[in-house]
Amino acid sequence: MVEAAGALVWRERDGRLELPVVHRPRYKDWSWPKGKVDPGEQLPAAAVREVAEEIDEQVVLGVPLPSLRYTTSDGRTKRVHYWAARCATDDDAAALTVRPQVERAPLEEIDDVVWVSAATAGELLTRRADRAPLETLLTLWERGRLATRAVVVARHGRAQRRSAWKGGEETRPLTAQGRAQAKALVPVLAAFGVGEVVTSPWERCLSTVVPYAERTGLPVRTVDALTEDAFKADPAASARVVEELLSSPRDVVLSTHRPVLRSVMDAVGEGTRRWTIGALPEKDPWLRTGEALIAHVTGSGAAARVVAVERHRGAANGD
């Protein structure tokens, strides 16, 4: 399987939707900006990198769109993962600082980029199958669900065993693998434009998001209600933290513990509807160590709704 990633980048102009399509001289076709995933690269990171290379724009990923699968000319199966995406703004500066520098794709690969209306884009696309993600994007736009923010729920990376740690639970650290998982989470958070960091103050949760905070310069907000002890005393308190984050207009990551995830998932679930794309995990352990659930949220306050959910685990992970 050849894995690739890209995005349908959207903007509104005079009440209409516009998107860029790219021309590839080698294949003599028009398509969405996309490209192969590099070894060890996460899909979201590949998507924002490929878009930057092909249309010279930094973007922030939004709702996942239908992926496409087809057979290449050499007989291999290729799967392309797509997201809706918006152009980055000054508010995304922190997330952009941790992304690697990219060079514009050479003219032999991409020799033209045009921003056109959604209708024109559909007509320009060479492959009929490429219209499937566009149809989903248009439906989201028409229903007011395209402009979203990310609320990321991360389970802390792999920690030392309880039985092997002689200190208090609040000081139990990550293993080497857990530290690698935390590092691998950085490009995922950057791809979704995370601009706020919230965590349980316990060492293993804090250390899972500190690499991102340090590289972006973002402050870390510790919340006692997200610890295991606080959850045992008052399970509803952690849910209230999540509800507050879901209702606020911010892209945020929340790092917590496996036992607390039951309450967290219930709170996220309250914002879902039958039309929500994707599904929440339904049973313990909810997320694997170092795994993140991205909830794409529209609206604010009591009107906040979860448009889609997806899960990502960095390439440094292992079971």
Side-chain angles (χ1 to χ4, degrees):
M1 179 75 72
V2 177
E3 300 286 3
L8 278 62
V9 186
W10 62 276
R11 69 186 184 191
E12 289 182 310
R13 290 290 186 274
D14 300 323
R16 73 171 190 171
L17 204 62
E18 294 183 342
L19 304 95
V21 290
V22 300
H23 185 259
R24 304 185 301 173
R26 177 182 175 186
Y27 302 102
K28 299 180 181 179
D29 69 358
W30 289 92
S31 69
W32 304 118
K34 65 180 185 302
K36 294 179 183 178
V37 177
D38 288 340
E41 187 178 34
Q42 296 95 327
L43 289 167
V48 296
R49 175 183 56 76
E50 286 290 342
V51 170
E53 290 176 357
E54 296 195 357
I55 72 168
D56 200 24
E57 289 275 3
Q58 289 289 347
V59 300
V60 173
L61 300 185
V63 177
L65 299 173
S67 60
L68 301 178
R69 184 180 300 200
Y70 55 90
T71 303
T72 63
S73 58
D74 59 2
R76 293 186 294 173
T77 300
K78 186 173 186 178
R79 180 169 55 191
V80 186
H81 303 260
Y82 284 111
W83 284 264
R86 61 172 175 80
C87 291
T89 68
D90 291 344
D91 292 337
D92 304 304
L96 300 186
T97 60
V98 302
R99 296 184 185 179
Q101 293 290 326
V102 299
E103 294 184 2
R104 185 73 180 268
L107 290 176
E108 300 82 52
E109 293 183 16
I110 303 294
D111 64 355
D112 201 3
V113 178
V114 293
W115 284 82
V116 294
S117 68
T120 301
E123 294 171 357
L124 273 177
L125 292 168
T126 302
R127 294 174 55 86
R128 176 173 292 274
D130 283 350
R131 297 171 189 168
L134 176 61
E135 291 171 359
T136 298
L137 183 140
L138 284 173
T139 298
L140 291 168
W141 181 60
E142 291 164 356
R143 297 177 180 177
R145 301 171 190 163
L146 186 55
T148 60
R149 60 188 178 279
V151 176
V152 182
V153 177
R155 180 182 171 188
H156 65 71
R158 190 173 295 278
Q160 291 194 19
R161 295 180 181 275
R162 295 177 192 266
S163 59
W165 181 247
K166 304 307 180 183
E169 264 300 293
E170 69 279 4
T171 63
R172 185 156 59 93
L174 298 178
T175 63
Q177 182 186 358
R179 293 191 295 273
Q181 290 171 333
K183 183 178 179 181
L185 192 61
V186 170
V188 175
L189 299 179
F192 291 103
V194 167
E196 184 174 352
V197 180
V198 177
T199 180
S200 158
W202 287 14
E203 176 63 25
R204 52 193 181 276
C205 291
L206 187 61
S207 296
T208 297
V209 290
V210 158
Y212 184 75
E214 288 183 341
R215 291 189 58 187
T216 57
L218 292 170
V220 176
R221 178 159 69 98
T222 58
V223 179
D224 289 338
L226 296 175
T227 66
E228 291 188 30
D229 284 351
F231 175 72
K232 291 176 183 177
D234 182 10
S238 58
R240 288 193 292 270
V241 174
V242 179
E243 291 164 1
E244 184 270 327
L245 295 178
L246 288 171
S247 64
S248 65
R250 307 189 297 273
D251 297 287
V252 59
V253 59
L254 175 154
S255 176
T256 190
H257 311 262
R258 180 188 59 77
V260 185
L261 288 175
R262 177 188 298 275
S263 180
V264 172
M265 294 303 168
D266 285 345
V268 175
E270 287 297 315
T272 63
R273 294 295 182 268
R274 287 190 299 175
W275 42 259
T276 298
I277 299 169
L280 290 171
E282 297 180 349
K283 58 183 180 180
D284 191 20
W286 315 106
L287 297 173
R288 295 177 293 172
T289 57
E291 187 174 23
L293 178 137
I294 295 88
H296 298 277
V297 185
T298 189
S300 59
R305 297 291 181 267
V306 177
V307 176
V309 293
E310 57 181 307
R311 295 161 68 174
H312 293 283
R313 203 175 190 223
N317 292 286
D319 294 316

